[in-house]
Amino acid sequence: MKTYRVMAARLFLAALLVPSITHAQSIQTEPDVRAFASSPRWLTTKVYLEGAPDIDVKDKYPGVVGISMWDPDRNRYEFFYTDTGLSKYEHGGGGYFMVTGDGKTHILVPDKGPNRTVVRRLEALNNQAFTYSREVPRDMIETNAPVRIYVVHAPYTGTVQTTPSSAYAQ
């Protein structure tokens, strides 16, 4: 019995002397949805496939390429063609968006078009970059196997003028 008491006392003292260790995950800074407001417009600068960040495949994924506007105060977005500046609103290129509380998911809810909800993994969001990834059919051909694409945006400083639809402006 004395051996057990000595052993318990040693364990107790060891527990007091060893720094406490936590198994909780450290808090990571969440992307700031207000970063969307740091630029009035964002331009798709690169699209690449998972595992191949050095190969730009924008030409194979034109549906995700464009100029975008984000209003974080109203959670509204609208997309535009890069060559004409015309709105994509009538084809699902405008509506509401949200970033989940954990900062990992970016969800689009278009006002119009064939898709009702688009879920994207938020990779980066700050004043200089906005990057998301999502699974789509390879080369955007419905019968192809899915691949994960990464779509990179930067604040747009070009000369193409964009005019928001009345739904975005309201």
Side-chain angles (χ1 to χ4, degrees), residues 35-151:
F36 278 127
S38 65
S39 173
R41 299 178 298 167
W42 292 80
L43 175 68
T44 306
T45 57
K46 184 177 188 179
V47 178
Y48 63 91
L49 299 178
E50 187 168 47
D54 297 328
I55 302 171
D56 192 349
V57 293
K58 277 193 306 228
D59 59 326
K60 302 242 185 216
Y61 299 89
V64 301
V65 175
I67 299 170
S68 58
M69 295 176 71
W70 303 90
D71 181 346
D73 291 331
R74 297 181 311 125
N75 287 14
R76 297 285 300 170
Y77 72 92
E78 190 163 347
F79 302 144
F80 303 86
Y81 294 99
T82 56
D83 53 351
T84 63
L86 294 175
S87 175
K88 296 182 179 183
Y89 180 79
E90 292 297 323
H91 306 287
Y96 290 92
F97 77 94
M98 68 172 280
V99 174
T100 57
D102 63 3
K104 295 179 181 180
T105 306
H106 185 231
I107 302 169
L108 304 181
V109 182
D111 291 338
K112 297 182 174 198
N115 295 329
R116 293 315 307 159
T117 304
V118 179
V119 178
R120 313 182 314 179
R121 188 168 70 197
L122 190 56
E123 304 292 341
L125 178 57
N126 57 53
N127 293 350
Q128 292 82 39
F130 161 46
T131 303
Y132 71 84
S133 70
R134 66 183 264 217
E135 284 196 356
V136 297
R138 180 177 291 278
D139 301 332
M140 297 302 269
I141 298 171
E142 288 301 321
T143 56
N144 286 352
V147 294
R148 179 162 292 277
I149 61 170
Y150 291 75
V151 183

